[in-house]
């Protein structure tokens, strides 16, 4: 099957949705550029309407349906959140009833946002694949138009507007890094860039825990994903890639890499500190790959990186920040066993303070099996600069004959 989109189709789609989406900023970051060793610009789709790039494709698709001879009675979509919000928003604009089917594990922030946009909500199963099956059932039973999140040429053409904007704003671009789930965004951007500048290097990034595309460019196959696999990048946790997107990606994408959840969480924190904007897990994977040196760049490159969404559940923000701080060596929890006598804690705190560490929390444990009689176990949660700073603490306490046990999430 041939790719059905020419550059003119992308340009027409971009004009069609003008005024229905935001032309998001492409901003440079001196701090992040220094980190990766190349000039870096961020495409802030986390500032887009509905909080992600998805509104681009949904607006184009629904505009086409609305203008067609057979205007549907309504639309139905399956999504973990971002596509659902985009479809609900666009449907309301065109006066079309919208039904969205979401996994039971979808973040409440995204579920509530869809409901606030007037969509009928069904939550089914624990995976996007189960929700998609239910959406197809509703489509057939109720005569609703099924709106694919990525496997549709109209959706891909709408997402391409993001790439057209980037190339207009950064004509000297040499590399572009894009989050990859089902492949709609990457396919759209690939066509927008490569049909004009085939020399631009294009890299897709997946979460390591759910990465069916991992070896696709090497052998054309998809990696089987455990149905129980989970990642903080829920927005790109797609286990069954699209048939249309695989054609575009096979022809126009140069590289696919993966990053783990630690790297993603660290990228969320780094983005927040550097730009004062928030990204959800799936929105931060491209930046995570750059920060983790998964993509080779040089000072001669001009790199664009898509921050594809910002719809992170507020209940998870604090935990994600702590997760990222732990992963980057800036938060440390330790247990120290000391004689249970006056001055022991003060002496320990003095040692911590002398290293310039901040104490977030202190707890005592006495009378437990692992704590000898006459001793107390003191647990500290400390703010530190990095892993090297933590090593200074371990060395300092070891020199005084004090053992340190690093605590994990289960302690």
């Amino acid at each position: 099957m041939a790719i059905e989109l020419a550059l003119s189709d992308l340009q027409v789609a971009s004009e069609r949705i003008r005024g229905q989406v935001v032309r998001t900023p492409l901003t440079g970051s001196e701090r992040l550029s220094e980190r990766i060793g190349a000039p870096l610009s961020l495409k802030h789709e986390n500032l887009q309407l509905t909080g992600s790039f998805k509104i681009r494709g949904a607006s184009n698709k629904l505009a086409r349906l609305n203008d067609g001879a057979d205007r549907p009675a309504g639309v139905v979509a399956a999504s973990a959140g971002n596509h659902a919000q985009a479809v609900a928003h666009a449907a309301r604009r065109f006066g079309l009833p919208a039904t969205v089917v979401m996994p039971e594990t979808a973040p409440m922030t995204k579920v509530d946002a869809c409901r606030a946009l007037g969509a009928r909500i069904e939550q089914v199963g624990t995976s996007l694949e189960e929700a998609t099956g239910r959406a197809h059932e509703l489509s057939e039973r109720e005569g609703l138009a099924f709106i694919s999140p990525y496997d549709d040429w109209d959706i891909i053409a709408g997402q391409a507007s993001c790439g057209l904007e980037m190339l207009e704003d950064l004509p000297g671009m040499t590399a572009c890094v894009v989050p990859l789930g089902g492949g709609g965004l990457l396919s759209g951007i690939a066509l927008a860039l490569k049909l004009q500048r085939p020399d631009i290097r294009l890299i897709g990034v997946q979460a390591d825990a759910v990465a069916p595309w991992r070896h696709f460019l090497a052998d054309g196959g998809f990696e089987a994903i455990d149905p129980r696999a989970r990642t903080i990048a829920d927005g790109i946790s797609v286990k069954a890639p699209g048939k249309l997107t695989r054609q575009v990606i096979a022809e126009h994408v140069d590289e696919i890499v993966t990053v783990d959840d630690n790297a993603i969480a660290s990228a969320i924190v780094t983005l927040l500190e550097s730009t004062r904007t928030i990204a959800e897990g799936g929105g931060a994977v491209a930046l995570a790959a750059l920060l983790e040196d998964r993509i080779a760049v040089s000072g001669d490159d001009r790199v664009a990186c898509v921050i594809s969404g910002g719809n992170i559940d507020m209940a998870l923000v604090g935990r994600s920040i702590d997760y990222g701080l732990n992963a980057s060596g800036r938060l440390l929890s330790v247990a120290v066993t000391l004689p249970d006598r006056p001055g022991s804690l003060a002496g320990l705190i003095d040692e911590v303070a002398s290293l310039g560490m901040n104490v977030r929390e202190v707890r005592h444990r006495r009378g437990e099996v692992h704590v000898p009689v006459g001793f107390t176990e003191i647990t500290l949660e400390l703010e530190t600069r990095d892993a090297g700073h933590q090593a200074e603490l371990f060395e300092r306490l070891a020199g005084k004959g004090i053992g340190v046990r690093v605590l994990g999430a289960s302690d």
Side-chain angles (χ1 to χ4, degrees), residues 285-305:
V285 293
L287 179 60
L290 288 164
L291 295 175
E292 291 292 306
D293 295 325
R294 299 304 310 276
I295 299 165
V297 296
S298 73
D300 294 328
D301 279 309
R302 296 295 180 270
V303 184
C305 172

Side-chain angles (χ1 to χ4, degrees), residues 4-24:
E4 296 183 7
L5 295 172
L7 179 59
S8 59
D9 297 315
L10 310 183
Q11 293 166 335
V12 167
S14 183
E15 284 300 315
R16 182 181 295 120
I17 64 177
R18 187 182 297 276
Q20 299 179 40
V21 303
V22 172
R23 184 185 178 108
T24 53

Side-chain angles (χ1 to χ4, degrees), residues 134 202 226 281 298 386:
R134 175 59 176 165
L202 192 61
D226 187 332
S298 73
D386 51 32

Side-chain angles (χ1 to χ4, degrees), residues 3 37 90 125 143 165 170 201 209 298 306 311 331 372 378 406:
I3 295 173
E165 291 173 9
L170 189 65
R201 188 159 58 107
S298 73
V306 180
N311 290 317
L331 192 64
I378 298 170
V406 178

Side-chain angles (χ1 to χ4, degrees), residues 213-270:
W213 297 91
R214 192 190 312 265
H215 304 298
F216 175 73
L217 295 181
D219 58 23
F222 293 105
E223 183 172 301
I225 304 300
D226 187 332
R228 298 166 296 179
R230 294 291 180 268
T231 171
I232 63 172
D234 60 278
I236 59 171
S237 184
V238 177
K239 301 177 178 68
K243 294 180 180 179
L244 304 183
T245 56
R246 72 185 64 176
Q247 297 176 51
V248 179
I249 289 171
E251 185 169 337
H252 292 298
V253 174
D254 299 289
E255 189 177 357
I256 293 171
V257 302
T258 67
V259 287
D260 63 23
D261 278 12
N262 278 356
I264 296 168
S266 294
I268 292 172
V269 174
T270 300

